[in-house]
Amino acid sequence: MGMSAGDERAASPRDEEWPEAEKAEKLARGAALKWASGVFYRPEKLEGLGHYRRRETQRNSSIQSRLKSTVQSYLEGVSAGLEQLRSAAQEVQSVCQDLGAARWALLDSADHFQGLQQMRELMEEHVQLASVVQVLPQIFSVHEVFSHILQLLRGQHLLEAHVELMMVEQLRDDILSQLHLRGLSSAQATVLSYFSGLQELNESLAKQLWDIVGSSLRLVREDPVLFVTAVRIIEREEKIDDTLLLEATFLPPGRPKGWRQKFYQVLQDTMTGARFHAPRMDAEGPGLAKHLAALQKDIVSELRVVKDLMVQCVPAHYNILSVCTATYHQALSSHLQEILREDLDKQGLFLLLEWALRVYHSPEMMGHPDLLPEVDVSALDPLMSSELVDQTERRYVMKVKASVVEWMQRTLDVEFKEWFKEEEPETDHQGFFQSALPAIVMQMLNENIQVASLITNTLQQKIYNMALEELEAFLGRLREALVQCGKEHQQDRAVPKYYISHLLAVLNNNLALSNSVSSLHPDTACREVPASLQAALDRMQKKATQLLLEELLLDLQLLLAESELLVANQYLRALLQRRMVCKSREERGQLCHRLLQDATQLRELFCSLGLDRSQQSLEAVFALRELISLKDPALLSLEVLGFITKYPDVSDEHVSTLLDIRGDVSREVRHVVLEMMAQHPQLLPEGYRPIFSTILVPVQELPFCLRKGKCA
């Protein structure tokens, strides 16, 4: 249904005053229309319209009842609030009136208050004077108390002396505090001068306390009462410090004393005094082992005293055992660093590493049964930092390396001398040549690796890596020495005498080293030989094999030359001893052709076996062939001269036999040739290999002639 104009005018002020209500009403109508259109969109649904109307009417009645109840409660609350506000306004107005009256009354009484201020000042002055009068007897007796305190200190009655000292200090501090509060700082200097004896007494008491603390490890065993007394005095002073610091209004001179902190400092200085500042000679060389053993013994002994006796003499919050443990630990750490600044040998570095990483935590020291479980250094920083351990391990490896290099060089020098001895190398049980070199080298490297395993796995690995590097370098030096030996042998093949035997020993040694290298690895499951080391072993083997083959080839060439000389000698022997005679030019041609053919075949054979033509003796066959093939016998003297010059071991018998083989040499030519040989005797040059001197020819039989007959 629509609204009339009058309704709209009536609703206008309400809409302006309550815009949210209008919006909510429109939303509600829209929702109702949407719902109704959804429910009654079919005609048959209109039959239930009465039912829906009754239900909605009941719902509206219920909602209106709740709204009326809520509005009624709200209105009642508003009414009560308004009433309370009205009452409060009346009370505020009444208070304002009373305050105004009081203000006027105070203004009227201001003149009387000035008289009261003067009276207040007089009263404060009277109180101060009364307090001063009260403490005057104590002030006048201060110096007498000082003397008594001094007597008590000399008699080591420390508790009594400290009580009186605290009383005097309290008196002084009260006076200074009052002066401070009243701003009378100029008078403080007078008070301090009057109580100046306190400083000397405090110093005297403190000196005795620190002497006691410095002797605490002895006193807790002999006279714990004196030590306990010192601790009680320290605790008293610590409480006074805490109180004054908590108030934080005025700190008397010398406060806070901090005697508990001083107690720790003196105790720590006593523990770390002489033993951690040993003379230099005790921190290096053989003395280092004794020094470390003494530290171990003293620290364990003193910690046992702290744990069993000193702990009972101090308050629990001192944590005296933990403090002493940490003190020793830190002092040891600094002391080891100080020792490591020296140039220690490998033994010293090993001792330090073993002591810091093994002995220190073992049952022999900080893990001692008498110290556990109270003493626990696992929560502290490592005695040696990982960087320092690594640095020290590297220094140790360098020292071991220098020693290994030195020993290996000595071994190599001995081995080199063994090669030149006038005796064969040693043999193993199977008869193979060998020397002690592999056993010496491997034992030295293995011992160093095993010793390093007593410290840490990382050190063992570093020593292992160094061992392989040095073994590789050693193989290089051994190879160079072998090359040098080979050069000397090339200059004089008689040196070394047993060159081949020693080469075989070197090969066997190299094989032994190759088979033993894998056993050096710390991990038995990992037996690989590094590629560079294997290459060095291979180079060593190849060089020894090369020298051996070269030597064998040289021996073979010597044998080949001897064989060729023997063949040439036998050939010439057969030729000269057969006493053949050529009856014609054709026979001489056939003989020369056969000599050329045989000599050429033999020469090519030996050339193919590696013997150079210049080293062959078969050239004598070719020269002999030239003598036989010469066409003009008259020229034989010249040819024979050249022949005996080249082969100076040729005799007259050899030449006569050659002339006989020709078959065309007259007696006169023979005489000329032999006469020429007699006139030109030949000497054997140095290094000449004889060919004809070993060939004997039958003595020529002289012809038997009858007096009146012809010679045959």
Side-chain angles (χ1 to χ4, degrees):
M1 295 177 62
M3 294 179 63
S4 63
D7 294 335
E8 291 179 357
R9 286 193 301 271
S12 178
R14 185 195 68 180
D15 294 342
E16 294 176 358
E17 188 175 356
W18 301 98
E20 292 83 0
E22 180 184 4
K23 184 177 180 181
E25 183 177 355
K26 290 180 178 179
L27 289 174
R29 288 182 179 276
L33 288 174
K34 185 176 180 181
W35 176 81
S37 63
V39 174
F40 302 110
Y41 69 95
R42 287 189 299 179
E44 58 270 19
K45 292 291 184 178
L46 293 176
E47 296 178 357
L49 179 60
H51 171 70
Y52 285 116
R53 181 179 293 168
R54 287 192 300 272
R55 189 180 70 179
E56 292 303 320
T57 301
Q58 292 176 357
R59 286 180 59 188
N60 289 335
S61 300
S62 175
I63 291 172
Q64 290 177 0
S65 298
R66 289 199 298 271
L67 286 173
K68 289 179 179 179
S69 175
T70 301
V71 171
Q72 183 65 32
S73 299
Y74 176 75
L75 292 176
E76 291 177 355
V78 170
S79 177
L82 290 173
E83 185 64 30
Q84 292 176 358
L85 287 174
R86 189 180 297 109
S87 175
Q90 293 176 355
E91 292 177 358
V92 167
Q93 185 177 4
S94 175
V95 168
C96 289
Q97 293 175 354
D98 294 341
L99 287 175
R103 179 172 177 275
W104 287 110
L106 287 173
L107 290 175
D108 293 340
S109 304
D111 295 336
H112 301 290
F113 289 156
Q114 294 179 356
L116 292 176
Q117 180 65 27
Q118 295 176 358
M119 186 178 293
R120 184 182 298 108
E121 292 175 356
L122 289 174
M123 183 184 68
E124 289 179 357
E125 184 179 355
H126 175 74
V127 171
Q128 293 174 7
L129 292 173
S131 61
V132 170
V133 170
Q134 258 184 338
V135 299
L136 277 178
Q138 300 176 22
I139 293 175
F140 291 145
S141 64
V142 162
H143 293 284
E144 182 181 348
V145 174
F146 283 172
S147 300
H148 187 242
I149 293 174
L150 187 59
Q151 291 177 0
L152 291 174
L153 290 176
R154 290 171 179 171
Q156 285 197 335
H157 300 290
L158 302 183
L159 283 177
E160 295 87 343
H162 185 247
V163 169
E164 295 194 12
L165 188 63
M166 286 193 299
M167 292 174 59
V168 177
E169 281 188 340
Q170 182 65 41
L171 175 62
R172 182 203 63 181
D173 295 345
D174 288 344
I175 296 173
L176 290 175
S177 177
Q178 292 297 325
L179 293 175
H180 174 74
L181 292 175
R182 286 163 176 77
L184 302 175
S185 57
S186 58
Q188 291 183 2
T190 304
V191 175
L192 290 175
S193 175
Y194 186 79
F195 287 91
S196 60
L198 276 177
Q199 179 68 22
E200 181 182 351
L201 292 175
N202 266 298
E203 292 175 356
S204 178
L205 174 61
K207 183 179 183 304
Q208 293 196 41
L209 291 179
W210 309 142
D211 289 343
I212 292 171
V213 174
S215 305
S216 56
L217 291 172
R218 176 181 59 82
L219 289 175
V220 294
R221 287 176 292 186
E222 300 175 1
D223 185 13
V225 174
L226 195 58
F227 177 69
V228 172
T229 298
V231 173
R232 290 179 61 185
I233 293 173
I234 292 170
E235 279 302 290
R236 287 176 181 173
E237 291 293 338
E238 197 69 20
K239 289 180 180 178
I240 295 173
D241 284 348
D242 292 343
T243 301
L244 291 173
L245 290 173
L246 188 63
E247 292 176 354
T249 55
F250 172 73
L251 274 179
R255 291 291 179 180
K257 292 183 179 180
W259 278 8
R260 186 190 293 168
Q261 189 63 34
K262 181 68 174 178
F263 167 85
Y264 288 131
Q265 181 182 344
V266 172
L267 185 62
Q268 291 169 350
D269 292 343
T270 302
M271 291 179 169
T272 62
R275 67 172 58 88
F276 292 108
H277 297 86
R280 182 172 180 177
M281 67 168 99
D282 292 337
E284 59 182 9
L288 180 59
K290 295 181 180 179
H291 179 65
L292 294 177
L295 284 178
Q296 175 183 344
K297 178 182 177 182
D298 293 345
I299 290 174
V300 172
S301 175
E302 292 180 4
L303 282 178
R304 290 173 64 183
V305 172
V306 174
K307 173 179 174 290
D308 297 336
L309 300 175
M310 188 179 288
V311 168
Q312 304 174 15
C313 300
V314 298
H317 64 266
Y318 270 50
N319 294 321
I320 195 66
L321 182 57
S322 299
V323 170
C324 292
T325 301
T327 298
Y328 281 128
H329 185 83
Q330 295 168 2
L332 277 175
S333 180
S334 301
H335 187 54
L336 294 183
Q337 294 180 34
E338 182 180 355
I339 294 176
L340 284 171
R341 294 190 184 99
E342 305 291 337
D343 185 18
L344 301 179
D345 57 10
K346 68 173 183 177
Q347 186 64 25
L349 293 170
F350 178 84
L351 283 173
L352 273 183
L353 286 170
E354 182 187 30
W355 197 85
L357 302 179
R358 297 294 182 190
V359 176
Y360 183 70
H361 298 278
S362 70
E364 299 175 0
M365 195 170 176
M366 303 309 281
H368 196 284
D370 293 344
L371 300 180
L372 297 178
E374 288 84 356
V375 174
D376 182 14
V377 295
S378 62
L380 302 175
D381 294 335
L383 194 61
M384 292 177 64
S385 65
S386 57
E387 294 81 6
L388 183 59
V389 170
D390 180 71
Q391 178 185 353
T392 307
E393 287 181 350
R394 293 183 185 277
R395 287 178 58 186
Y396 175 73
V397 171
M398 294 301 296
K399 296 289 185 179
V400 174
K401 178 180 178 179
S403 176
V404 167
V405 170
E406 180 181 358
W407 275 101
M408 281 187 168
Q409 188 59 45
R410 290 181 183 177
T411 304
L412 179 57
D413 294 341
V414 172
E415 184 74 7
F416 189 78
K417 293 178 182 179
E418 291 288 332
W419 293 343
F420 292 89
K421 283 188 175 180
E422 295 291 323
E423 57 186 16
E424 287 189 321
E426 300 176 357
T427 58
D428 61 9
H429 64 284
Q430 295 179 334
F432 295 109
F433 291 120
Q434 66 172 15
S435 70
L437 183 142
I440 294 174
V441 171
M442 296 305 297
Q443 180 181 1
M444 176 172 50
L445 297 180
N446 189 59
E447 285 179 355
N448 282 288
I449 293 173
Q450 294 303 317
V451 167
S453 67
L454 301 175
I455 306 299
T456 61
N457 293 334
T458 57
L459 179 60
Q460 186 182 23
Q461 186 64 40
K462 289 175 183 175
I463 292 292
Y464 169 75
N465 294 337
M466 180 275 298
L468 295 189
E469 292 175 0
E470 290 311 310
L471 180 57
E472 182 178 341
F474 173 75
L475 288 171
R477 295 195 298 273
L478 180 61
R479 183 174 177 271
E480 292 174 359
L482 190 62
V483 171
Q484 179 63 30
C485 179
K487 290 180 179 179
E488 295 186 19
H489 181 70
Q490 289 177 357
Q491 296 174 0
D492 183 0
R493 298 198 68 225
V495 178
K497 182 177 180 180
Y498 297 100
Y499 181 65
I500 292 181
S501 300
H502 284 291
L503 286 177
L504 292 173
V506 169
L507 282 171
N508 292 331
N509 290 343
N510 193 71
L511 181 61
L513 286 173
S514 181
N515 293 333
S516 303
V517 166
S518 59
S519 64
L520 294 176
H521 202 289
D523 187 1
T524 56
C526 181
R527 295 297 189 181
E528 277 189 42
V529 178
S532 59
L533 179 57
Q534 187 61 54
L537 289 167
D538 293 342
R539 286 193 297 269
M540 184 65 199
Q541 182 179 2
K542 289 178 180 178
K543 177 52 68 176
T545 304
Q546 176 188 348
L547 294 176
L548 180 61
L549 290 176
E550 289 176 354
E551 184 65 16
L552 291 177
L553 287 174
L554 287 175
D555 288 346
L556 288 175
Q557 289 179 353
L558 287 171
L559 180 60
L560 188 61
E562 295 296 329
S563 300
E564 189 271 343
L565 177 62
L566 181 60
V567 168
N569 186 276
Q570 291 297 324
Y571 190 90
L572 293 171
R573 185 189 302 273
L575 177 64
L576 295 175
Q577 290 182 353
R578 287 182 64 178
R579 303 303 298 264
M580 65 177 62
V581 178
C582 297
K583 298 179 180 180
S584 64
R585 182 186 299 271
E586 288 77 13
E587 288 184 358
R588 283 195 301 274
Q590 292 175 359
L591 176 61
C592 290
H593 178 72
R594 180 62 184 271
L595 290 175
L596 179 62
Q597 183 179 4
D598 291 345
T600 301
Q601 289 180 352
L602 290 172
R603 183 174 64 184
E604 291 177 354
L605 171 63
F606 284 104
C607 283
S608 66
L609 293 175
L611 186 63
D612 191 77
R613 290 177 58 176
S614 62
Q615 299 176 347
Q616 294 184 16
S617 301
L618 287 168
E619 293 297 322
V621 179
F622 290 97
L624 188 145
R625 173 188 170 278
E626 294 295 329
L627 287 176
I628 296 174
S629 65
L630 186 65
K631 295 180 180 180
D632 187 0
L635 299 177
L636 278 173
S637 60
L638 294 176
E639 289 294 331
V640 169
L641 179 60
F643 186 77
I644 64 174
T645 302
K646 188 173 183 180
Y647 302 102
D649 62 332
V650 173
S651 65
D652 294 351
E653 290 79 7
H654 294 138
V655 173
S656 296
T657 303
L658 290 173
L659 295 178
D660 291 340
I661 292 174
R662 280 185 61 92
D664 64 344
V665 180
S666 65
R667 183 174 295 180
E668 290 78 8
V669 173
R670 182 186 298 271
H671 177 75
V672 172
V673 170
L674 295 177
E675 184 67 22
M676 181 273 300
M677 290 182 65
Q679 293 176 1
H680 296 84
Q682 301 294 319
L683 297 176
L684 297 179
E686 185 178 356
Y688 175 74
R689 299 175 63 190
I691 300 175
F692 292 94
S693 59
T694 59
I695 302 175
L696 300 178
V697 296
V699 179
Q700 185 177 6
E701 296 179 2
L702 296 176
F704 178 74
C705 299
L706 296 176
R707 190 169 287 184
K708 291 184 178 180
K710 293 181 179 180
C711 293

